[in-house]
Amino acid sequence: MTTNDKISRRKFLQAGSAAVAVTACPGLNAADTVAAAEFPGINRLQRKAALPAARGARVVIVGGGWSGLTLAKYLRRFNPAFDVLLIDRQSAFVSFPVSNAWLADQVELDFLSHSFFDAANNHDYYFMQATVLGFDRQSRRVYTERGTVDYEYLVLAPGIEYDYPRIGVDDIEAQNLLFHRYPGGFVSSSELLTIKRKIHRFNGGTFLLNVPNGDYRCAAAPYERACMIAAVFKQRRVRARILLLDMNSDIKIKKAGFSRAFTDVYGDYIEYLPSSEISAVDIENRRIETDFDEYDFDDAIIYPPVRASRLIEQAGIDNPEDPQKAPATEPFKYHLLDDERVYVTGDSRSQPFSKGGHTAHSEAQYVAEVIAAHALGREVSWRSPQTMCFSAVDIDPLRAMSIITYYKYNRDSGLFAFDRTHLIDRWDVQGGQASLAWAEGMYRDMFYQS
Ligand SMILES: Cc1cc2nc3c(=O)[nH]c(=O)nc-3n(C[C@H](O)[C@H](O)[C@H](O)COP(=O)(O)OP(=O)(O)OC[C@H]3O[C@@H](n4cnc5c(N)ncnc54)[C@H](O)[C@@H]3O)c2cc1C
């Protein structure tokens, strides 16, 4: 900062304009501006984040999940002249895929946990742990809790959030209470730790789980989780009933396999109830209401329908007609309709591809190529993401089934649909081993292998 900068800045603050300076930061509202006036430290949000100087056109990626990690690696592969910065609010990566098997002690937490530093060191990009507060597309600037970062390209891969009002929980305090007491286990790793503790300490009674409706994250995972929890209860000889309330009219995926598992393997534990649209939750009395019934429970995992990250809505780029609040993007190129510098990928995307880690990983390799091509004035033809999903059904040894699918675009309807699909809905030990080998391969690609 030059002396002139300092003088003009001091004058600016003396003039009582601190509040105005901070409102320029997207994501902060009027209440925050009062705090800024009383607590000038907030003004650091307006300063540049302390980062190494960019070595080329900077691509900023928001979110170090399956999508962001893959993009960070492949962007530099397709265009080594890019300077890539990956930002995530978490200090470490914990995998959701295979976490259901971890709940049933089939892998260690080490298997799921990986360091962002290893990924960045091995793939020659920079990682910054920070929460992104917003961004300004005109000045091409991202605002984080550690200061601002300028970009040439911005990729938003911040994943999903729960949409509690869609199960009748509108009050913010009640949403927080529900999230802490009965976390869904689909957004953050603390939820998973709480869930594991719950199921290994459950002493008997009704344990309630649900499957949300809409385009929720990982179609098979709630059914898989019911199997893994039943396996734990069976092993611990707990007298428990798992009430699986499905907000859909039927099992959404691997139907024959899961139906068989619910009756043949876990008939004494799992009670599956389709078309159970949750309309209210009485947290204190541990009671859930559906359109037709009420259910009491002793403990629960409540997984509400999901929506794209609020970062997208707060930036005013969401499609208001979309219940998922995803942005309006070019369906083959992933950029905002009016901005070829901003891309949205992974589970926040608007395309109806399955919300899965494998989908996000294969899609991100393609989007990295699209962005690299844009910078070089080239074009890339569209290719479908691939969805691959293993589901654990039984334990010791782990037994799993799987599905692989692609997507095609129907020009007449203007919609994407499933294309070639390969389903194995008989679980076995080979499937269990393949599921772990698949995950290891994914972690190797995102974190270790150059
Ligand atoms: C129990 C479970 C089992 C699953 N099983 C499978 C499976 O077998 N196979 C499969 O393919 N998929 C599976 N999935 C789905 C898979 O985990 C997701 O589809 C995948 O994580 C999506 O990747 P993403 O990068 O879009 O989002 P995420 O992986 O959620 O990453 C988003 C990242 O953005 C960060 N972030 C968000 N907002 C901000 C912000 N404002 N500032 C900074 N950082 C931010 C978050 O911290 C997070 O790290 C499973 C999911 C669950 C929960």
Side-chain angles (χ1 to χ4, degrees):
M1 187 183 274
T2 64
T3 315
N4 274 350
D5 285 340
K6 279 182 195 156
I7 291 166
S8 56
R9 184 174 167 72
R10 194 175 301 128
K11 278 189 180 156
F12 185 55
L13 292 175
Q14 276 167 355
S17 301
V20 178
V22 172
T23 44
C25 174
L28 295 186
N29 56 32
D32 299 318
T33 62
V34 175
E38 290 164 3
F39 179 49
I42 286 180
N43 285 318
R44 75 166 185 269
L45 301 178
Q46 293 281 94
R47 295 189 200 131
K48 279 192 188 310
L51 286 172
R55 296 169 293 177
R58 181 163 266 165
V59 188
V60 175
I61 303 168
V62 181
W66 288 66
S67 184
L69 281 160
T70 311
L71 266 146
K73 171 178 173 176
Y74 284 90
L75 274 163
R76 281 196 41 79
R77 175 167 293 189
F78 291 120
N79 187 348
F82 277 153
D83 180 274
V84 175
L85 173 70
L86 178 67
I87 307 178
D88 201 289
R89 58 189 173 200
Q90 313 283 344
S91 59
F93 171 93
V94 178
S95 172
F96 288 116
V98 191
S99 67
N100 283 331
W102 166 76
L103 292 178
D105 295 325
Q106 300 303 291
V107 293
E108 303 281 330
L109 191 55
D110 265 10
F111 184 82
L112 306 179
S113 316
H114 302 272
S115 158
F116 287 120
F117 299 147
D118 286 340
N121 291 338
N122 288 325
H123 300 134
D124 198 21
Y125 60 82
Y126 198 79
F127 169 71
M128 178 165 91
Q129 188 191 347
T131 296
V132 170
L133 306 168
F135 51 90
D136 177 36
R137 291 198 285 142
Q138 252 181 348
S139 56
R140 293 198 198 139
R141 181 161 294 171
V142 174
Y143 292 82
T144 82
E145 57 173 324
R146 290 177 54 190
T148 66
V149 187
D150 292 343
Y151 67 83
E152 289 292 325
Y153 291 95
L154 175 64
V155 184
L156 302 170
I160 55 152
E161 292 183 20
Y162 296 129
D163 201 353
Y164 283 105
R166 279 158 72 189
I167 52 170
V169 184
D170 296 303
D171 177 69
I172 299 285
E173 249 178 68
Q175 289 177 11
N176 271 313
L177 191 61
L178 186 55
F179 177 55
H180 284 95
R181 287 213 191 147
Y182 305 110
F186 276 80
V187 172
S188 70
S189 46
S190 268
E191 296 174 63
L192 294 179
L193 295 167
T194 294
I195 288 171
K196 183 152 186 174
R197 187 169 283 257
K198 275 173 185 271
I199 63 178
H200 284 267
R201 291 186 171 191
F202 193 63
N203 283 329
T206 300
F207 197 100
L208 187 142
L209 295 170
N210 75 293
V211 186
N213 52 14
D215 187 7
Y216 65 90
R217 173 172 271 183
C218 195
Y223 306 104
E224 177 192 52
R225 189 177 276 166
C227 292
M228 289 297 95
I229 295 177
V232 171
F233 290 166
K234 200 171 168 180
Q235 196 173 56
R236 291 182 50 226
R237 296 177 197 280
V238 178
R239 290 171 65 85
R241 173 175 78 131
I242 296 171
L243 200 53
L244 181 57
L245 300 183
D246 196 336
M247 293 172 70
N248 306 286
S249 57
D250 208 344
I251 295 174
K252 290 260 289 186
I253 188 166
K254 300 171 189 158
K255 183 181 164 193
F258 281 124
S259 301
R260 225 163 355 100
F262 295 166
T263 49
D264 297 359
V265 188
Y266 303 116
D268 293 341
Y269 289 87
I270 296 177
E271 188 177 340
Y272 174 71
L273 296 175
S275 302
S276 301
E277 180 97 13
I278 298 175
S279 51
V281 184
D282 180 346
I283 305 170
E284 291 308 333
N285 294 310
R286 289 181 290 186
R287 180 171 299 147
I288 218 159
E289 277 176 35
T290 67
D291 288 348
F292 302 107
D293 255 310
E294 284 186 3
Y295 302 95
D296 291 328
F297 58 83
D298 296 288
D299 210 341
I301 297 170
I302 298 175
Y303 179 13
V306 305
R307 45 163 294 163
S309 158
R310 275 188 176 72
L311 200 58
I312 285 164
E313 188 182 12
Q314 283 160 359
I317 57 169
D318 63 307
N319 172 1
E321 278 157 35
D322 178 9
Q324 302 274 321
K325 307 265 190 301
T329 46
E330 207 286 325
F332 305 107
K333 295 278 165 70
Y334 288 81
H335 59 70
L336 297 183
L337 291 177
D338 62 349
D339 192 344
E340 294 194 27
R341 298 278 172 168
V342 179
Y343 293 72
V344 186
T345 63
D347 286 357
S348 275
R349 74 175 81 79
S350 57
Q351 298 91 325
F353 309 140
S354 168
K355 290 191 187 344
H358 191 97
T359 320
H361 179 266
S362 73
E363 166 191 273
Q365 292 176 49
Y366 162 70
V367 178
E369 213 177 325
V370 170
I371 297 172
H374 185 272
L376 298 168
R378 297 190 193 136
E379 285 284 324
V380 179
S381 324
W382 180 71
R383 60 175 187 267
S384 164
Q386 184 193 54
T387 293
M388 183 188 275
C389 173
F390 290 89
S391 298
V393 173
D394 207 352
I395 62 170
D396 295 331
L398 186 67
R399 293 185 181 84
M401 48 190 186
S402 63
I403 190 167
I404 301 178
T405 194
Y406 291 86
Y407 303 86
K408 62 184 170 197
Y409 185 70
N410 183 325
R411 294 213 170 268
D412 295 332
S413 64
L415 299 171
F416 287 96
F418 288 118
D419 196 5
R420 295 157 287 151
T421 297
H422 180 65
L423 169 69
I424 302 179
D425 59 7
R426 295 198 163 271
W427 58 92
D428 57 20
V429 176
Q430 284 80 6
Q433 286 170 348
S435 69
L436 302 185
W438 164 80
E440 262 185 303
M442 290 284 147
Y443 307 144
R444 197 179 310 125
D445 186 64
M446 293 189 288
F447 290 92
Y448 310 108
Q449 198 173 51
S450 50

